[in-house]
Every structure is written in C-alpha cells, then in structure tokens.
Amino acid sequence: GALLDVYAKCGNIQVASKLFNNSSQPDLVMFTAMIGGLAMHGRSEEAVKIFDQMLQSEIKPDHVAMTAILSACSHGGLLDKGRKYFESMSDAFGIEPTIEHYACMADLLARSGCLKEAYEFVSNMPCEANANVWGTLLGACKMHHNVALGQVAGYHLFNVEAGNIGNYVLLSNIYAADRRWDRVEELRKMMKQKDLKKPAGCSWIEVKQKLHIFISGDSSHPERCFIYNMLRTLDQQIKEPLEWISTQG
C-alpha cells in the first residue's frame, strides 16, 4: 500500500495501477491510495469505479478514504456522486464528517457553480469554517463572477487569515473584473494599513553544482550584466520572427 501510494503521488499512476491490479486482495490502504492517486491526476470517473469496487469487496471506508473520494468528485465535477457519498457517510459507514470532508463538499458545490448552496452549506456546518473552506468559496466566486458572495467570503477570510495578502488580491481581482474601482482602492488602503506586501518572485537554477538564486527586483548577482545582456538578446531573437510574421499578414 505504501509503495503504491508513493508511485501515485510521484505521478507514476501507471505503475501504481499495475501494483493495484496485481494485488489479489487489495486492502483499505491500497484502495485509498489508488483513489487519491487517480483523483490527483484528474481521473475522477476511474476513482469512483475503484471506490465502488472497494464497497463491493465489503471493505468499509474510513475518514481518509472518504476525503479521497470526495476530492475526486470535486475535481471531476461529479456533483451527484459527491452528494451521495457525503450524505451516506454517517448512515452507511458510521463516519462523522470532519472539516476536511465539509471542505471537499463545499469545494464540489462551488466548483459546480452552486454558489448559493455552497454558502448555505458552509454557514450551516456544525464546525467553524476555516480559511481553506472560505478560500475555496472565494476562488469559485472569481471563477463564476459572483461579486456579492465573493465579498462575504473575502471578509470572512480577512478575519480568520488576516495576514494572507493573497486573499486581498483575489477579492480585489473580483472587484476589478466588475469595474468596482472604488472597492479596489479600498482594499489597497486596507493592505497598506496592515502593511501587507506581496512576496517577491523567486526562482533558482543549478549550474555546475552551484545554486543561483534570482529574486524579483534584486540586482546583486555578480554576473547580472552578462545575464541581462543575454536576456535582451534572447528577447530580441524571439521578437524578430514575430515581427516578420506580422509583416507577412
């Protein structure tokens, strides 16, 4: 089970599937790892088949397996299946949903465009919604252009995760898409008052066993002149064919 899980999480779903199929009696750990691996790779329908196979084998899912299948349904947009599994947790499997299960269900509803239902679901949860849940809702509001609900989710996030600048930026983008420039400016002022700043972009590359780190706006690299000259050369070489194509049109 552990080896299968490693292959699945490392992206080698083919080997993971082979290990699973070659097992005469896969256990709960193997089923869960396979479901999670398939979900991770966007193969939600297959994950559902494996879960149903597990139930037919009379193997009872645990909290982890339920999180895996709900996540699979969420990523695949399998709303009806997800509802069915979530609603059967207590009665059929004797599992009380945790915040992880509620988060998966909220994500499924939100991704599917059922934003009002998702908000009602989150509001009626027996446990307090965390940043993950509200963040899911905020992201879905951007995807589906729901400004009013995005504002509600955003301000909940500001309370539970006050120092995360990404939440402010995401809500600002929702306002900007709706041309609510007054709200955008209001958020900028809030960010300034809280001294929130976006972390500088960073990348690195290893050349001849030496690590070179580049940070946006930083010009302290000892070979910066050579690097910038090379970038300008590459930029020009990229533009030249494009300019030639545009003149031919």
Side-chain angles (χ1 to χ4, degrees), residues 21-74:
N21 293 328
N22 287 341
S23 174
S24 57
Q25 287 186 316
D27 58 11
L28 176 60
V29 174
M30 294 186 72
F31 272 111
T32 302
M34 199 65 224
I35 293 165
L38 289 167
M40 190 184 300
H41 291 82
R43 295 161 67 169
S44 301
E45 295 280 1
E46 293 175 63
V48 167
K49 288 180 182 177
I50 295 294
F51 185 80
D52 289 343
Q53 180 185 334
M54 181 180 74
L55 298 182
Q56 290 166 9
S57 302
E58 298 185 350
I59 295 177
K60 192 176 179 180
D62 61 2
H63 284 79
V64 181
M66 290 307 304
T67 301
I69 190 58
L70 288 174
S71 178
C73 291
S74 176

Side-chain angles (χ1 to χ4, degrees), residues 4-175:
L4 188 156
D5 190 41
V6 169
Y7 277 114
K9 287 180 177 176
C10 289
N12 201 332
I13 198 69
Q14 288 79 14
V15 174
S17 297
K18 189 174 182 180
L19 287 171
F20 181 82
N21 293 328
N22 287 341
S23 174
S24 57
Q25 287 186 316
D27 58 11
L28 176 60
V29 174
M30 294 186 72
F31 272 111
T32 302
M34 199 65 224
I35 293 165
L38 289 167
M40 190 184 300
H41 291 82
R43 295 161 67 169
S44 301
E45 295 280 1
E46 293 175 63
V48 167
K49 288 180 182 177
I50 295 294
F51 185 80
D52 289 343
Q53 180 185 334
M54 181 180 74
L55 298 182
Q56 290 166 9
S57 302
E58 298 185 350
I59 295 177
K60 192 176 179 180
D62 61 2
H63 284 79
V64 181
M66 290 307 304
T67 301
I69 190 58
L70 288 174
S71 178
C73 291
S74 176
H75 286 92
L78 306 177
L79 183 57
D80 292 336
K81 280 283 187 182
R83 284 187 204 273
K84 173 189 167 186
Y85 293 139
F86 182 82
E87 291 168 359
S88 66
M89 284 181 65
S90 298
D91 296 335
F93 309 128
I95 300 172
E96 286 302 317
T98 65
I99 187 65
E100 286 79 14
H101 302 121
Y102 282 107
C104 286
M105 195 61 204
D107 187 41
L108 173 56
L109 290 167
R111 281 175 185 256
S112 301
C114 305
L115 293 176
K116 184 179 178 182
E117 186 180 350
Y119 175 67
E120 291 173 353
F121 178 84
V122 170
S123 300
N124 294 320
M125 282 167 40
C127 48
E128 188 174 351
N130 58 17
N132 185 30
V133 175
W134 287 117
T136 291
L137 198 55
L138 182 61
C141 287
K142 183 178 186 300
M143 184 190 307
H144 297 287
H145 311 291
N146 190 318
V147 180
L149 190 53
Q151 179 173 296
V152 174
Y155 278 88
H156 274 289
L157 272 171
F158 298 164
N159 288 327
V160 298
E161 202 177 39
N164 188 344
I165 191 172
N167 299 327
Y168 294 83
V169 172
L170 186 52
L171 181 56
S172 178
N173 290 340
I174 292 173
Y175 284 142

